[in-house]
Amino acid sequence: MNNIFKNILAGGMALCLLMSVPGCKYLDVAPDNLLTSDMLWDTRANAEGYLNQVYARVSIPADDYTMLGGSDETSCSIQGVAVRQMASGNWNAQSDHWYYWAQNYAGIRQSIVFEQNIDKMSDAIIGPDLKKQYKAEALFLRGWFYWKLLRQYGPFVKVISQLSLNEDYNKYPRASFDECVDHINELLDAAATDLPPSWASSSNYGRANKASCLAVKSQLALWAASPLWNGNPKFAGFKNNDGKALAPLQYDVNKWRAAANAAKAVIDLPGYRLFTNLDEGDSQFDPYLSFRNLFLTNWNTEILFSTNMAGSWQWGHEVRCAPKPAGYDMQNATQNVVDAFYMRNGRTIDDPQAQYVESGFVQTDDPANWGKSKDGVNRGYVKGNANMYANREARFYVSIQYNGKPVLPAPTQDDRNYFSSDANKDGTGRAEFYYSGKSGVGVNNNSDITGYDVLKNVSPNSNIRTSAVVYRPFIHLRLAEMYLNYAEALNEIEPNHPDILKYVNLVRQRAGVPDLQTVYPSAIGDQAEMRKRILHERQVELAFEGDRYFTLIRRLMMNDPKIQTIYRMNTITNDGSQGFAFADFNKRTLLQNRVWADKMYLFPIAQSDRDKNTSLVQNPGW
């Protein structure tokens, strides 16, 4: 993916080519290359290589709709890409945007092939304990692929054995939603039985374990409990050709209990805790380093499942997120998400007690000195930044590259000066998003930049100017999400339960903000207000990790005009060479009113797959 990305960008071709996913078509049973050899199941290296092929089907969503503009937290600055078509409502069942249906079924088929053949191998080559572990990993991966299908497309076609070349595909209709949930849980339960809670050896980083299984079960249970699938009347006509209902139409409060229990099962596993910089040997807690470095360390106690693969996604992420002239300013944070981050007193910026100031410029550097102990650089705000960026919580500075904030992946003074106009070359490398700046509209003729780039998961040890990037895993599942899953589900059934505050506060404490009851005591025991606070915490803690899109989907919140109205800074007004002193830059400006239709709660199934299987009904509205 990295090489493809580089070639496309270097050649100046449309980046929308990146937004489709290659892979076998649904139910394609053509043999894999390895399967042409009778030697596959005769050597351990070949068998393990095949299992690695299945792992390779776990997609890294660094450049898909969840990251690049499917929700209100990001916008893609490149016109014509698939996510922009999605935001304008200009797509249909023939568009094939992010057609993960095919890719996930290819992984399901491969996992079945592996499971059915691994026992053929002699115990002298692979012992029975290792066979059991490998089969459990294959079961987890199958559950993972089915979960991804369910979340994106709704009820899937359940395939439990390898299909023959002469199979009658028309006898494979979609299973009901509840049947799909049960099947995924069966796979994950079976996998968890034969996998350890965690891996002791670094050679196993990235492999599924029991924690991975239970974490997916938590996501699945929360999905099933949420309004999209828990008694949604809009799915009343969603049926197979034979009249079988595919969606549960009766609300069941017990599904929230199941979601709470599933999250708590992960939380109760030994050996996992929220990562802080103290885990790296630092003597003093630093909320900035704690949050930033949990994504940059090779492994830590917060990771539940990750892809550990060097040279696959890291370069693409760094260059997407970096400002020009070295980066592409492609993954833009919106003003909507910038406004969501708290002040350091733990309050939202619209709170009269927040002490938020929107006008003017800060006169001193940040006294907190966050991050300085690690690399000698103050990573908070700096003198001359807009007041609207001062005194924000640590997660804000980890997550958002704003106008005037020093560029992170630029390690030397010379590298930092590369991002600065002549008048600003002071060794700090402040990003210039204003009109005449090096990343500005007037210089780059791109009117869609928001005035922000995404900064989360970018490494200070990378050098985007020279395309030198450092390794770190891509985290799919982490413990903080489980804390918020648990609190959200528990609030729906026992809004006075003390664990709600306990686990929300653990997340806030790592971020360095006061406990929730300290700043918003009225939320305690008030189900509606607490729900709002928990969802807000998710928006901030899990920003740019794909969760925001799916939270808005499962909560049926995407059709809210506030969600679809996207704001930016005033990047399109000429600053008259005032640069960072241009006060009118810091004014909210409408970027776009996005188009939403309720059919978009589920992705469409490609007509080519429906032509192959006439029992495969289309999703509602497509």
Side-chain angles (χ1 to χ4, degrees):
M1 183 65 175
N2 188 22
N3 290 333
I4 294 173
F5 200 0
K6 282 186 176 180
N7 291 338
I8 289 174
L9 290 176
M13 297 174 64
L15 290 181
C16 58
L17 295 176
L18 293 173
M19 305 308 163
S20 61
V21 179
C24 302
K25 282 295 185 181
Y26 160 66
L27 293 181
D28 185 351
V29 293
D32 301 294
N33 291 335
L34 279 175
L35 290 181
T36 62
S37 171
D38 292 335
M39 298 294 291
L40 174 60
W41 308 109
D42 291 339
T43 69
R44 175 171 173 170
N46 282 351
E48 291 177 339
Y50 190 83
L51 180 59
N52 288 338
Q53 278 193 6
V54 189
Y55 269 105
R57 294 285 183 183
V58 176
S59 62
I60 295 176
D63 59 356
D64 75 2
Y65 58 100
T66 64
M67 299 290 194
L68 282 181
S71 76
D72 60 347
E73 65 181 7
T74 51
S75 178
C76 180
S77 64
I78 311 299
Q79 296 190 22
V81 294
V83 75
R84 296 287 293 270
Q85 297 174 28
M86 181 179 178
S88 64
N90 186 25
W91 62 308
N92 55 44
Q94 284 72 49
S95 299
D96 281 352
H97 295 331
W98 308 286
Y99 198 54
Y100 295 139
W101 179 275
Q103 176 170 312
N104 286 317
Y105 269 110
I108 289 165
R109 179 174 58 83
Q110 287 182 313
S111 74
I112 292 172
V113 169
F114 183 86
E115 184 188 4
Q116 290 179 341
N117 285 278
I118 188 68
D119 282 331
K120 295 178 181 179
M121 301 187 69
S122 165
D123 286 351
I125 298 174
I126 297 182
D129 289 341
L130 195 54
K131 286 181 185 177
K132 184 185 295 185
Q133 173 198 312
Y134 286 167
K135 285 193 290 185
E137 290 180 65
L139 287 173
F140 165 81
L141 289 167
R142 197 181 315 159
W144 174 269
F145 298 134
Y146 273 130
W147 159 231
K148 294 299 181 180
L149 284 170
L150 186 68
R151 188 162 64 165
Q152 187 176 4
Y153 299 98
F156 49 71
V157 177
K158 187 167 64 174
V159 180
I160 60 175
S161 62
Q162 188 179 2
L163 304 182
S164 70
L165 291 171
N166 298 320
E167 194 78 31
D168 179 7
Y169 301 150
N170 298 315
K171 66 181 183 181
Y172 288 93
R174 301 173 79 167
S176 71
F177 179 84
D178 285 341
E179 289 171 339
C180 292
V181 170
D182 290 344
H183 185 59
I184 296 171
N185 277 322
E186 289 169 3
L187 292 169
L188 296 173
D189 286 341
T193 300
D194 293 323
L195 291 174
S198 60
W199 295 106
S201 171
S202 62
S203 64
N204 288 318
Y205 290 165
R207 307 187 81 97
N209 55 31
K210 184 175 182 179
S212 310
C213 299
L214 297 186
V216 176
K217 284 172 63 70
S218 172
Q219 289 185 318
L220 176 65
L222 192 68
W223 195 256
S226 297
L228 178 66
W229 290 106
N230 195 356
N232 183 358
K234 293 184 179 180
F235 284 154
F238 192 13
K239 300 177 180 180
N240 278 334
N241 292 331
D242 62 1
K244 178 180 178 178
L246 294 179
L249 299 181
Q250 298 298 318
Y251 173 75
D252 185 355
V253 69
N254 292 319
K255 290 185 176 182
W256 287 110
R257 173 68 67 186
N261 290 341
K264 192 60 161 59
V266 185
I267 293 169
D268 288 343
L269 283 173
Y272 292 94
R273 65 180 186 277
L274 296 187
F275 173 86
T276 73
N277 66 302
L278 301 178
D279 297 327
E280 296 184 294
D282 293 349
S283 58
Q284 291 187 323
F285 171 68
D286 184 322
Y288 173 90
L289 290 174
S290 296
F291 194 61
R292 186 191 75 182
N293 289 0
L294 85 87
F295 300 99
L296 304 181
T297 57
N298 185 32
W299 193 258
N300 60 65
T301 56
E302 189 166 340
I303 298 175
L304 303 173
F305 182 53
S306 66
T307 292
N308 286 50
M309 188 182 301
S312 59
W313 65 276
Q314 292 91 347
W315 179 87
H317 182 73
E318 305 284 45
V319 78
R320 261 194 309 273
C321 295
K324 292 177 179 177
Y328 287 93
D329 279 326
M330 177 180 167
Q331 191 167 351
N332 303 144
T334 64
Q335 188 64 44
N336 305 49
V337 72
V338 167
D339 289 344
F341 285 92
Y342 301 116
M343 300 297 289
R344 291 185 189 177
N345 58 18
R347 297 181 181 274
T348 56
I349 65 169
D350 58 352
D351 186 332
Q353 299 182 60
Q355 300 176 10
Y356 173 71
V357 178
E358 187 146 304
S359 62
F361 301 94
V362 68
Q363 299 303 307
T364 59
D365 288 349
D366 191 341
N369 281 320
W370 285 335
K372 194 168 185 177
S373 64
K374 188 65 67 175
D375 53 19
V377 179
N378 186 344
R379 296 298 186 181
Y381 58 87
V382 298
K383 180 180 179 180
N385 283 171
N387 276 326
M388 64 192 306
Y389 307 133
N391 296 312
R392 304 296 286 271
E393 59 158 309
R395 290 176 295 191
F396 171 78
Y397 300 101
V398 171
S399 302
I400 304 294
Q401 175 75 62
Y402 55 83
N403 187 46
K405 181 177 176 62
V407 175
L408 188 64
T412 72
Q413 179 172 311
D414 186 54
D415 294 324
R416 291 189 288 272
N417 280 337
Y418 182 72
F419 291 89
S420 299
S421 301
D422 289 343
N424 295 327
K425 287 185 177 179
D426 58 3
T428 61
R430 292 170 290 168
E432 299 177 354
F433 292 128
Y434 53 84
Y435 187 89
S436 66
K438 279 199 168 183
S439 255
V441 172
V443 173
N444 298 287
N445 195 30
N446 185 347
S447 62
D448 294 313
I449 192 167
T450 62
Y452 305 99
D453 285 333
V454 172
L455 192 58
K456 192 177 195 177
N457 214 343
V458 170
S459 174
N461 296 317
S462 293
N463 188 339
I464 199 60
R465 180 186 177 191
T466 61
S467 290
V469 300
V470 298
Y471 168 82
R472 68 272 193 191
F474 185 91
I475 301 174
H476 297 285
L477 298 165
R478 61 185 181 95
L479 189 61
E481 179 187 346
M482 302 298 113
Y483 286 1
L484 296 174
N485 287 0
Y486 181 50
E488 181 181 345
L490 202 55
N491 182 59
E492 299 297 332
I493 49 176
E494 296 183 60
N496 288 300
H497 198 293
D499 276 0
I500 298 171
L501 273 181
K502 175 182 177 180
Y503 287 99
V504 170
N505 285 338
L506 284 172
V507 173
R508 290 173 67 90
Q509 288 162 13
R510 195 261 300 278
V513 295
D515 289 349
L516 186 62
Q517 72 273 18
T518 302
V519 289
Y520 295 117
S522 61
I524 311 308
D526 184 321
Q527 187 181 67
E529 185 178 352
M530 182 60 78
R531 182 187 300 126
K532 174 184 174 182
R533 299 296 177 192
I534 294 170
L535 294 181
H536 193 122
E537 200 68 46
R538 291 188 79 98
Q539 182 182 13
V540 172
E541 173 70 20
L542 303 175
F544 315 124
E545 297 180 48
D547 180 80
R548 177 64 174 172
Y549 175 86
F550 288 116
T551 293
L552 294 175
I553 289 290
R554 65 180 174 82
R555 279 286 183 178
L556 292 176
M557 296 168 64
M558 275 291 200
N559 60 0
D560 185 343
K562 293 181 180 178
I563 299 295
Q564 298 301 329
T565 305
I566 307 300
Y567 292 94
R568 61 177 168 190
M569 285 284 89
N570 184 19
T571 59
I572 57 177
T573 297
N574 195 324
D575 63 293
S577 298
Q578 293 182 64
F580 294 123
F582 181 55
D584 279 353
F585 177 91
N586 302 304
K587 290 184 177 180
R588 285 172 186 74
T589 305
L590 179 67
L591 174 66
Q592 59 189 169
N593 286 306
R594 293 178 176 172
V595 175
W596 180 260
D598 283 349
K599 67 179 182 179
M600 293 163 62
Y601 279 114
L602 299 178
F603 269 60
I605 298 172
Q607 186 60 45
S608 58
D609 280 327
R610 296 188 62 230
D611 291 341
K612 186 179 293 186
N613 177 1
T614 58
S615 66
L616 184 61
V617 297
Q618 183 59 280
N619 282 330
W622 292 101

